[in-house]
Amino acid sequence: MKHKFSINRLVRLGITATAFVGLSGMALAQQQYDSRPYPTPDYSGKGSPAQGGTSKSKSATAPAGHNLSAADKAFMKEAAKGGMMEVAMGRVAEQHATDSEVKNFGARMVKDHGKANEELKTLAREQNVQLPAEKEPGKWKSDKDYMGQMVKDHENDLAAFEKEAKEGSDPNVKNFASKTSEVVRKHLDMAKKIDSKLK
């Protein structure tokens, strides 16, 4: 009886030892599996080659001017027309005005609007917008007549530029309008002061 009991005890000990070794092996295998150098999955979509390729192909194949509304295009054309006229009239005032302040104002128009015109031309090329050609400047009778016209023109220009800056659909055109409106506002203040001194 004692012999039988000791045999059963040995069998149980053997089974327990085998089970323990098996569990230890499984735990070691699991630990080795977990330590494999697999990258953490990225669920943001930023690292996806498929998504990256899709967005890149969209930007590469998007037609120029696709963001422009009819109002954006009309603004660009009117801004170009007005800007070129300001430069042309500014040249005449710079050369033929009798008042020194009017001459200086004309020179300022040539410089500031010339710069804005170049920026607008670059933007128009990027957006595939055809701008109007430059025309001959209008004529005026006196320095007072020229400055009065500059006040009216810049009032109209400021309203148009501020409207585009707020309501435009294309961010680049809106940025141009916003930046240039600050220059136009300064011109308007200058024109009013000079005009008020002339008789």
Side-chain angles (χ1 to χ4, degrees):
M1 191 72 177
K2 285 183 179 180
H3 181 68
K4 187 175 182 182
F5 175 77
S6 47
I7 290 174
N8 289 340
R9 186 177 181 185
L10 285 173
V11 170
R12 283 200 299 269
L13 284 173
I15 293 171
T16 304
T18 304
F20 179 79
V21 171
L23 288 173
S24 299
M26 288 176 63
L28 181 62
Q30 181 65 34
Q31 185 179 7
Q32 288 176 347
Y33 178 80
D34 290 343
S35 64
R36 291 178 186 176
Y38 289 118
T40 304
D42 181 9
Y43 299 106
S44 66
K46 294 179 182 177
S48 171
Q51 286 192 5
T54 303
S55 61
K56 188 174 181 181
S57 62
K58 280 184 180 179
S59 62
T61 58
H66 67 288
N67 288 330
L68 292 184
S69 63
D72 285 343
K73 292 178 182 179
F75 165 77
M76 290 176 71
K77 292 178 181 181
E78 286 301 314
K81 190 188 300 182
M84 288 186 289
M85 188 59 66
E86 297 291 359
V87 170
M89 293 176 70
R91 287 197 191 104
V92 176
E94 188 180 10
Q95 295 171 4
H96 301 293
T98 56
D99 187 272
S100 61
E101 284 191 285
V102 177
K103 282 181 176 286
N104 292 336
F105 182 84
R108 181 75 178 266
M109 294 302 98
V110 173
K111 179 183 176 183
D112 291 353
H113 282 283
K115 182 180 178 182
N117 290 348
E118 290 304 313
E119 290 178 10
L120 184 57
K121 286 177 185 177
T122 300
L123 185 59
R125 281 194 297 270
E126 292 172 354
Q127 298 288 1
N128 197 26
V129 174
Q130 185 69 38
L131 298 180
E134 187 174 351
K135 295 182 179 180
E136 289 295 320
K139 295 181 179 180
W140 58 91
K141 299 176 183 178
S142 63
D143 291 354
K144 177 73 173 176
D145 186 26
Y146 168 68
M147 292 310 305
Q149 190 172 337
M150 287 298 96
V151 170
K152 290 178 182 178
D153 286 351
H154 282 83
E155 285 176 342
N156 293 333
D157 290 346
L158 183 59
F161 275 79
E162 287 182 336
K163 181 180 179 182
E164 177 65 21
K166 292 178 181 177
E167 302 175 8
S169 61
D170 182 82
N172 294 325
V173 180
K174 288 178 69 174
N175 182 56
F176 169 79
S178 177
K179 183 173 64 173
T180 309
S181 68
E182 297 300 319
V183 179
V184 173
R185 185 179 288 106
K186 290 178 182 177
H187 291 172
L188 178 58
D189 291 340
M190 290 171 60
K192 287 180 176 179
K193 288 178 182 178
I194 297 171
D195 184 55
S196 66
K197 297 176 184 177
L198 298 174
K199 294 181 180 179

